[in-house]
């Protein structure tokens, strides 16, 4: 059987935490998880990508992939993340 204990804290500049658990938690092997919020992606970066995709040629040539091929590849990559 497993139990769950949660407490919120701030990570200081030195990135060191001192953890004091309640006496009700027995000594022994444990796992510690750090759950944090990722920074939000700026819309400016996404618009830069879409601007870049707009200037790509519509048909492939000897120099690389078409805009459609790149979009298809990116979509497949995003789907593989799930």
């Amino acid at each position: 059987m497993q139990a769950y204990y949660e407490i919120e804290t701030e990570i200081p500049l030195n990135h060191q935490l001192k953890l004091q658990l309640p006496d009700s938690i027995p000594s022994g092997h444990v796992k510690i998880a750090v759950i944090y919020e990722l920074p939000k992606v700026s819309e400016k970066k996404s618009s830069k990508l879409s601007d870049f995709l707009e200037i790509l040629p519509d048909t492939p040539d000897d120099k690389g992939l078409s805009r459609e091929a790149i979009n298809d590849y990116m979509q497949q990559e995003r789907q593989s993340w799930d």
Side-chain angles (χ1 to χ4, degrees):
M1 182 167 140
Q2 292 183 334
Y4 177 81
Y5 174 74
E6 180 178 309
I7 188 170
E8 289 189 24
T9 188
E10 295 291 324
I11 297 176
L13 293 175
N14 67 7
H15 288 226
Q16 294 180 4
L17 298 176
K18 181 177 178 182
L19 187 60
Q20 177 72 43
L21 299 174
D23 292 337
S24 60
I25 297 177
S27 61
H29 182 79
V30 299
K31 292 180 184 178
I32 297 175
V34 176
I35 302 168
Y36 59 98
E37 295 294 324
L38 293 173
K40 293 184 179 182
V41 176
S42 169
E43 288 185 31
K44 291 180 182 178
K45 289 182 182 178
S46 356
S47 66
K48 288 180 183 177
L49 178 58
S50 63
D51 292 342
F52 169 73
L53 291 175
E54 287 298 319
I55 64 171
L56 292 176
D58 288 329
T59 56
D61 58 10
D62 293 336
K63 297 180 182 177
L65 299 173
S66 69
R67 181 183 337 166
E68 183 179 338
I70 292 172
N71 278 329
D72 290 343
Y73 176 79
M74 294 299 291
Q75 187 63 30
Q76 290 172 7
E77 283 296 311
R78 287 184 184 117
Q79 289 173 353
S80 74
W81 298 345
D82 296 332

